[in-house]
Amino acid sequence: MIVLFDGFCVLCSGFARWLKHQYEGNVQLKAMQSDEGQELMKKHGYPADDPDEVVVVDGQTSMSGASAVLYILKNGGRLSRFFNFLLRGLPKSWIRAIYRVVANNRYKWFGRRDSCTFIPD
């Protein structure tokens, strides 16, 4: 599984580091702004010029936004599966709405880095 995240977003970079720990290295993390991230975004039909949602590519399947986060949590370690269990109790429309609010305000609430975060494999 490959997770494409906004490398300038403090929240997104922190989530990516947490995923690396949850998946014990069994996930590839790529900043959307990296050359490889841009290529994958275009290949799977996501706008590469405006990274707005986390994207997951797993084989030939891809998803973004709240669906991607739920997929990531469902397939991670015990803690992430617990978070997935909690979120699954909410209506999907609420999960999508909460995701949009956080995504739209992520720089304001959590900050924006001056340079893109690189997370080594």
Side-chain angles (χ1 to χ4, degrees), residues 26-50:
N26 294 324
V27 65
Q28 293 180 49
L29 302 165
K30 307 290 180 195
M32 293 175 178
Q33 295 88 352
S34 69
D35 291 340
E36 191 174 357
Q38 292 281 296
E39 184 179 313
L40 285 166
M41 295 279 286
K42 289 176 188 173
K43 178 180 177 183
H44 291 277
Y46 297 100
D49 59 337
D50 184 24

Side-chain angles (χ1 to χ4, degrees), residues 13-116:
S13 300
F15 182 64
R17 282 190 197 86
W18 183 75
L19 286 180
K20 185 175 182 177
H21 174 72
Q22 283 294 303
Y23 276 83
E24 298 175 353
N26 294 324
V27 65
Q28 293 180 49
L29 302 165
K30 307 290 180 195
M32 293 175 178
Q33 295 88 352
S34 69
D35 291 340
E36 191 174 357
Q38 292 281 296
E39 184 179 313
L40 285 166
M41 295 279 286
K42 289 176 188 173
K43 178 180 177 183
H44 291 277
Y46 297 100
D49 59 337
D50 184 24
D52 187 51
E53 297 184 331
V54 64
V55 173
V56 170
V57 176
D58 197 0
Q60 296 302 314
T61 304
S62 68
M63 63 208 75
S64 66
S67 299
V69 171
L70 290 173
Y71 184 83
I72 290 165
L73 294 176
K74 176 181 158 191
N75 294 294
R78 279 190 289 183
L79 185 58
S80 63
R81 287 193 306 271
F82 175 72
F83 286 133
N84 180 64
F85 172 77
L86 291 177
L87 289 172
R88 288 286 180 180
L90 297 174
K92 288 189 180 200
S93 61
W94 290 17
I95 295 169
R96 285 191 299 269
I98 291 166
Y99 182 90
R100 285 293 357 127
V101 168
V102 173
N104 290 338
N105 292 288
R106 67 191 187 276
Y107 292 145
K108 183 174 19 171
W109 294 347
F110 301 98
R112 186 179 198 286
R113 298 184 191 285
D114 291 333
S115 61
C116 189

